[in-house]
Amino acid sequence: MRAHPAGPLHADVASSHESVARPATPAALNHLSSAVWPASARRNADGAIEIGGVDVRDAVAAHSSPLFLFDEDDLRSRARRYRDAYVGAGARLVYYAAKAFLSTSVARWVTEEGLGIDVASGGELAVALRAGVPGDRLLMHGNNKSVEEIEAAIAAGVGRIVVDSFEDIVRIADAAGRAGVVQPVLVRVTVGVEAHTHEFIATAHEDQKFGLSLSTGAADEAVRRIAKLPSLALVGLHSHIGSQIFDAAGFQVAAARVVSLAQRLWDEQGIEVEELNLGGGMGIAYVDSDDPLDVADMAFQIGDIVGKECAAAGIPLPTLAFEPGRAIVGPAAITIYEVGTVKPVELDRGAVRTYVSVDGGMSDNIRTALYDAEYTVTLASRESSAEPVLCRVVGKHCESGDIVVRDAWLPGDLAPGDLLAVAATGAYCRSMASNYNYLPRPAVVAAAQGRLAVLLRRETLDDLLALDPGA
Ligand code: LLP
């Protein structure tokens, strides 16, 4: 919890107004770096951004603003690259982590590209099933799955359910027993590695809600209990160390610790861990300075360490599984906003920050407010050669923390009616969106070969009013 004493200074105006480098030339502001923008992003003859051959102005004319716009081919090619790299490194299946963003179209696309899907609720399961994803391509997570969710998963023939607690073991075993099936399960192990973007810290004990602890023996105990239940089949272990991870170091520590449990199970109980699921968390670039390891290198390094650890432990090499979410969808989409107001605010020492208010905000992207996330933003409906000004792109919600991009240089002629595009908003933006201030959630559309398809339509005020029986 960050807190500051009450007083006049309710924004960090003094400390951060020079935190992003001023662009070398005005023209640099028009540049679309391939590190952060979708693969097909380009400026057309009008200087407007096109994605998948669709001009953002046309997309907004058709589906209103704010708007999430996916590059379908980019999303699909990321899915293929992750599948190829991790299958090449020893994975049986790469599951797309649906929590990053889910619609039936995306579920179909990733399935067509050879991925499974990791669902973390009955709702995500329902979308995947509606999309026709076969049950054996699904894996279910959750630290508090309801009996109804477990029953729905078992009825769908979900290939893996990940056990997260002792209660889970009993509930899954009972539901499988009632259904007359043997349900394959993994045990989620808390390995005491907490990943933080670039680095990781190993903690002595794991103070968080997920999984069963390795250090207290809870994970061993879970395996013992599962082995006694005829309606459950233990197929392996699971570990997820965090999100937006840029290198393989955290995965390597996690893999080493999970392999040590696998060795103990082999030596002491004669149980073979056939599958090791190392979760997701592969990071992406939100700004040019972000430098995540290339997918092929990351996959190779993780596969290599698992191989070496298993050889050293003298246990059979398990097949691997992974659950990337952000890395599949994050960079493949942008958010388009319309500028409503442009307000220069004087800072200390004569500096000025220009507050650019757009027609969305923390209801369609909570990540800046929640995680201090950084984003890249550019003028999308035209090019400009005006001098860059230091801006803060803010939303329209009744909160001063309603910030979309904390520090950005934008052209000094920016005006109401201009469209801005924020890059890499495909993951954890629409999926974490809210209706704060009764804002309808934006549409999500996908462009390919010059055509747009609706993935999720825009909400209407009638949708929101329909929830209120008194309205
Ligand atoms: N597997 C498990 C068990 C997970 O808990 C998660 C993410 C993933 C896979 C996918 O992780 P990814 O590859 O997408 O990093 N709302 C946060 C991220 C929360 C991630 C939660 N679990 C954000 O906006 O950054």
Side-chain angles (χ1 to χ4, degrees):
M1 177 83 188
R2 284 167 300 154
H4 62 81
L9 196 61
H10 278 261
D12 54 341
V13 289
S15 57
S16 73
H17 64 265
E18 297 294 351
S19 73
V20 275
R22 170 184 270 274
T25 61
L29 287 184
N30 300 317
H31 176 65
L32 302 175
S33 156
S34 62
V36 293
W37 294 95
S40 68
R42 57 182 285 269
R43 288 194 186 268
N44 59 24
D46 285 353
I49 294 180
E50 278 183 13
I51 302 285
V54 175
D55 186 315
V56 294
R57 297 170 300 177
D58 296 334
V60 164
H63 297 283
S64 191
S65 157
L67 181 65
F68 290 102
L69 175 55
F70 269 98
D71 176 340
E72 177 184 342
D73 292 340
D74 192 12
L75 190 161
R76 284 180 179 271
S77 87
R78 286 171 191 284
R80 280 196 298 278
R81 285 211 295 281
Y82 271 76
R83 182 205 60 197
D84 291 349
Y86 283 95
V87 168
R92 179 185 67 88
L93 197 51
V94 176
Y95 298 89
Y96 165 60
K99 67 205 80 182
F101 173 73
L102 186 61
S103 73
T104 54
S105 302
V106 166
R108 281 188 204 106
W109 294 345
V110 297
T111 305
E112 285 164 12
E113 301 303 341
L115 272 60
I117 300 186
D118 143 17
V119 296
S121 72
E124 291 178 0
L125 173 66
V127 178
L129 294 177
R130 179 68 66 87
V133 180
D136 62 5
R137 291 280 206 96
L138 298 173
L139 168 150
M140 177 174 260
H141 269 295
N143 67 299
N144 186 17
K145 307 170 195 78
S146 69
V147 170
E148 292 73 20
E149 288 173 320
I150 293 167
E151 285 173 349
I154 289 172
V158 158
R160 302 280 184 269
I161 299 183
V162 183
V163 165
D164 199 280
S165 66
F166 292 122
E167 290 90 339
D168 228 9
I169 295 174
V170 175
R171 289 176 193 147
I172 300 165
D174 285 353
R178 285 196 299 281
V181 299
V182 177
Q183 176 61 46
V185 295
L186 305 172
V187 171
R188 180 158 177 179
V189 177
T190 317
V191 291
V193 177
E194 187 190 339
H196 283 296
T197 309
H198 300 275
E199 86 274 14
F200 63 90
I201 48 167
T203 51
H205 61 276
E206 307 87 349
D207 189 4
Q208 48 97 9
K209 68 177 181 172
F210 294 109
L212 291 143
S213 166
L214 205 59
S215 59
T216 65
D220 299 63
E221 175 60 18
V223 171
R224 272 193 292 277
R225 291 190 192 184
I226 290 167
K228 291 192 192 124
L229 293 165
S231 61
L232 298 183
L234 179 83
V235 290
L237 303 175
H238 182 284
S239 154
H240 171 78
I241 55 169
S243 214
Q244 185 59 353
I245 300 165
F246 279 14
D247 61 41
F251 287 104
Q252 292 181 345
V253 177
R257 293 189 187 171
V258 179
V259 167
S260 74
L261 171 61
Q263 179 183 19
R264 226 167 33 243
L265 297 175
W266 178 252
D267 291 346
E268 293 172 11
Q269 301 185 52
I271 292 174
E272 180 179 345
V273 171
E274 294 161 29
E275 187 169 312
L276 191 51
N277 183 324
L278 291 173
M282 299 74 181
I284 63 167
Y286 286 97
V287 291
D288 253 341
S289 55
D290 286 340
D291 191 20
L293 197 59
D294 170 72
V295 48
D297 294 336
M298 185 81 126
F300 173 80
Q301 289 182 25
I302 296 172
D304 187 51
I305 192 76
V306 172
K308 285 179 177 146
E309 292 289 338
C310 289
I315 59 167
L317 186 65
T319 179
L320 300 180
F322 294 89
E323 301 162 344
R326 184 193 317 267
I328 308 292
V329 292
I334 65 172
T335 308
I336 309 162
Y337 298 101
E338 185 177 321
V339 174
T341 69
V342 180
K343 185 189 290 181
V345 173
E346 291 222 355
L347 311 182
D348 59 331
R349 286 167 284 157
V352 170
R353 188 192 329 271
T354 299
Y355 278 79
V356 176
S357 292
V358 296
D359 50 356
M362 65 196 300
S363 55
D364 58 72
N365 187 350
I366 189 70
R367 297 191 68 261
T368 306
L370 200 54
Y371 312 120
D372 278 333
E374 293 184 308
Y375 283 93
T376 302
V377 59
T378 192
L379 174 56
S381 44
R382 61 184 174 94
E383 279 178 322
S384 169
S385 52
E387 278 302 314
V389 294
L390 183 65
C391 294
R392 178 159 291 173
V393 179
V394 296
K396 60 177 285 155
H397 293 279
C398 299
E399 258 189 67
S400 52
D402 174 26
I403 295 169
V404 180
V405 185
R406 182 169 295 277
D407 295 300
W409 293 92
L410 288 167
D413 63 350
L414 196 70
D418 279 331
L419 298 179
L420 294 181
V422 177
T425 57
Y428 302 112
C429 289
R430 180 56 178 78
S431 69
M432 293 172 77
S434 75
N435 293 117
Y436 185 36
N437 295 133
Y438 265 79
L439 259 63
R441 288 177 297 177
V444 184
V445 298
Q449 284 94 49
R451 283 216 284 277
L452 278 183
V454 176
L455 306 189
L456 296 176
R457 73 156 168 83
R458 181 178 176 77
E459 273 175 340
T460 62
L461 279 182
D462 282 342
D463 288 331
L464 303 187
L465 285 167
L467 298 173
D468 180 344

